[in-house]
Every structure is written in C-alpha cells, then in structure tokens.
Amino acid sequence: MTSPKIIVIKALAALMLAGVCGLGFAGQVAGTVVNLSGALLAKKADGAVKVLVVKSEVEQGDTLVSEKNTYAQIRFVDNSEITLKPNTTFKVEAFAYDAGKPAGDSASFSLVKGGLRSITGLLGKRNKEKFQLKTPSATIGIRGTTFSAEFVAEGVSSALAPGLHVNVTDGMINVSNDGGSQLFSAGQFGFVPSVNMPPVIVPADAGARFMVPAAFLEVKADGAGVGVGASEKISCEVR
C-alpha cells in the first residue's frame, strides 16, 4: 500500500510538471501596442480574450480585432510597425527575432479582414524571405518596404471592390496566389479579386490609400504613443 507521504510527493511533482508544461503554452512576446484610438481586443491562442491598451504586449498566436473607429499601432521587437485600421482582424501567426540569431527569424501574419500599414524592421531588412502576410486573396512578401493592404470581403459595404487592395509607399512587395504573382514598387497600387485570379496593377485613383493618424506621429520620450481618444481628429484617407 502506498504511504500518504509518497502520495503527497507524487501530487506535488505532478503540479510542478503541470506548471512547467503550462509555461510552454504561453505566447512569445512579439511586440507592444504603442498607439491606440479606441477598443482593441486580443484573442489568445488558448481562447481567452483580452482588452489591450497602450503598452500592452502582443504575443505570437494573438488575433487582434480593432473595433469601430479604432486605429492601433503595434511595434514589434525588431522595430517594425503595423498599424491597423478600424474593423480589422489580424493574426500574428508566428514571430521570432533575436539580433544574434538571424537563422531563427520568422514573421508570418494573416489579414483576415480590414486594412493595415506595414513598415519593415530589422528582421525584414536582413531576412526578407522570412516575412509573409497572408490574406484570403493572396500572400504578400517584401523586398524591404512600407506598404498598405486592405481586404474587402464579399457583401461588405465599401467604396472598394471585394478583394485585396495594396499600395506601396517605399521599396517593393511581391503579391502571389494560385493565379500568378506580381511585383509592386513604390507609388504603385494593386488589386487581387480572388485567390484564383492574378494580381494586377491599377491606376492610383482606383486604389486604396491609408495614412497613419496624425496623432500617432506624436511619440513620447519613452516610445509610447499619446493614446488619443476615438473622438479626436484622425487624419486618414481611403479611396
């Protein structure tokens, strides 16, 4: 018969093991919210939902959901930035960066709906092929760049046609899907109707434009944004 002492020792060991295993499921910190104009939610990998504020950490596996009138700017650990538009769902599928271990670089994101602006950081400059932004219509790769992307789903009320819209401000991106691939350079606009139709270059007046809210450019000395309220003026142009 097992003694009570042995039973207690086994129980403690099990709890300790559970604690260690639990740590394995914790998301790796990918970045921080540095600017926010409204409500931003993070759906965690374990199913939990968390309300984020300025200086909240964003973890690998998080799905970020910006509410109506919410612009959110996330600065990643490699100093790259992604700014989300209102009504956007964006997932950090994988993100890893260590200054001394370039072979371990990984940056994989998914734009489920809505729009964003991306600025390349250190990871994208040294390992461009490790960055990818997936959308329902196509996957975007970079060549060291600043670009915006917006995916409009069927049935959504928008001035833009359903599909993926891209605009490159600096550098170059490669957009590819089952229909083909297309390079877009600075100043060019692109459109991808569906995953089976190739990306095409479109005139500027038919493309989507995304300007970062003016208040987001006001950065405090500690690197965090001003955290403006949703009622304050937002400078944004979307065509």
Side-chain angles (χ1 to χ4, degrees):
M1 182 176 179
T2 305
S3 69
K5 183 177 181 180
I6 293 177
I7 292 176
V8 171
I9 292 175
K10 287 183 177 180
L12 290 173
L15 287 173
M16 292 176 66
L17 180 60
V20 171
C21 291
L23 290 175
F25 290 105
Q28 178 178 329
V29 175
T32 305
V33 178
V34 294
N35 259 308
L36 193 59
S37 69
L40 177 67
L41 303 179
K43 296 180 181 179
K44 317 298 286 187
D46 63 1
V49 177
K50 181 178 180 181
V51 177
L52 301 185
V53 297
V54 172
K55 296 187 179 180
S56 288
E57 292 180 339
V58 174
E59 300 177 338
Q60 179 175 265
D62 282 359
T63 296
L64 306 181
V65 180
S66 61
E67 299 295 321
K68 183 180 180 181
N69 300 322
T70 296
Y71 287 82
Q73 189 173 53
I74 297 90
R75 182 170 298 140
F76 291 84
V77 295
D78 72 327
N79 215 33
S80 59
E81 290 183 358
I82 286 181
T83 303
L84 306 180
K85 287 182 57 181
N87 298 314
T88 293
T89 300
F90 169 80
K91 183 176 182 179
V92 182
E93 293 187 343
F95 191 91
Y97 174 80
D98 185 327
K101 299 178 180 178
D105 285 356
S106 176
S108 179
F109 308 104
S110 179
L111 176 62
V112 180
K113 70 170 186 176
L116 58 78
R117 178 176 186 260
S118 173
I119 300 178
T120 297
L122 298 175
L123 184 155
K125 290 178 180 177
R126 73 182 186 184
N127 273 323
K128 301 177 180 64
E129 71 282 358
K130 296 292 183 73
F131 176 101
Q132 63 175 355
L133 173 63
K134 303 173 186 176
T135 78
S137 291
T139 297
I140 300 173
I142 61 170
R143 299 292 183 270
T145 189
T146 299
F147 72 94
S148 62
E150 181 165 358
F151 177 74
V152 180
E154 290 283 352
V156 173
S157 178
S158 173
L160 299 171
L164 173 65
H165 301 260
V166 297
N167 171 214
V168 181
T169 304
D170 180 61
M172 183 178 291
I173 63 174
N174 180 54
V175 182
S176 60
N177 64 6
D178 294 342
S181 63
Q182 175 68 51
L183 290 174
F184 296 90
S185 57
Q188 290 187 320
F189 294 79
F191 176 55
V192 191
S194 72
V195 70
N196 296 313
M197 299 182 70
V200 295
I201 296 173
V202 298
D205 59 4
R209 299 175 184 271
F210 178 24
M211 295 177 63
V212 175
F216 281 21
L217 301 178
E218 301 173 20
V219 181
K220 294 181 179 180
D222 61 2
V226 295
V228 297
S231 61
E232 295 187 44
K233 185 177 180 180
I234 297 291
S235 174
C236 177
E237 177 186 5
V238 178
R239 292 183 179 177

